[in-house]
Amino acid sequence: MMKQLCALAAAASVLTAVPLAHGGHGDDDRFGVGSFRPVATFSVPGATSAEIVSATRDGKYLVYSDAIGRKFGLVDIRNPRRPQQIATLDAGGDPTSVAVLPVGNLAVGCVQPGKLILIDLSTFTTIGERTIGEGPDS
């Protein structure tokens, strides 16, 4: 009986602590979404759209793929309230994804039909390309 009582008390304390650990805001804020506030917006030039976005390790720049515009873009966010487009790069096809590599000064872009490009972020130019066949998508 004592073991059951201890187990019940432990379960009750966990159930009571869970809402406190999440800020006590109920289900709407389970993941802390309510703690994010927009600082600024950025419209991709040319009435196209940023599809996939990847940030540099230092958090100063964003690289995005723009399938409609068939390009990659580089945005300076050092002043988060005033993001600035600083470069674009013709993708040579339909870009489907982009990711900044852990080294920080390079990104890899996926482009249809079937190639990967290596982008030097300091010059925002293509420094390598590899045909990989059909795909990739994202």
Side-chain angles (χ1 to χ4, degrees):
M1 181 69 166
M2 188 58 131
K3 280 185 180 180
Q4 291 173 332
L5 208 52
C6 286
L8 184 58
S13 67
V14 168
L15 290 174
T16 304
V18 169
L20 296 174
H22 293 288
H25 298 294
D27 287 341
D28 294 357
D29 197 35
R30 308 184 278 186
F31 303 106
V33 174
S35 65
F36 289 97
R37 303 286 182 260
V39 192
T41 59
F42 175 77
S43 295
V44 174
T48 61
S49 71
E51 229 177 324
I52 306 296
V53 179
S54 185
T56 58
R57 287 181 83 175
D58 59 11
K60 295 179 181 180
Y61 301 95
L62 299 175
V63 182
Y64 66 86
S65 65
D66 176 358
I68 297 168
R70 298 175 59 103
K71 64 185 175 194
F72 293 100
L74 183 63
V75 178
D76 182 339
I77 60 168
R78 288 178 289 179
N79 178 352
R81 294 188 186 283
R82 297 186 52 102
Q84 299 290 317
Q85 175 87 44
I86 56 173
T88 60
L89 174 64
D90 179 21
D94 296 325
T96 59
S97 187
V98 67
V100 174
L101 299 177
V103 292
N105 61 337
L106 299 172
V108 64
C110 300
V111 181
Q112 292 284 5
K115 69 178 174 179
L116 297 175
I117 63 168
L118 188 61
I119 303 167
D120 180 337
L121 296 179
S122 61
T123 60
F124 213 62
T125 58
T126 301
I127 58 171
E129 185 176 303
R130 175 69 53 139
T131 300
I132 59 170
E134 195 60 35
D137 189 12
S138 298

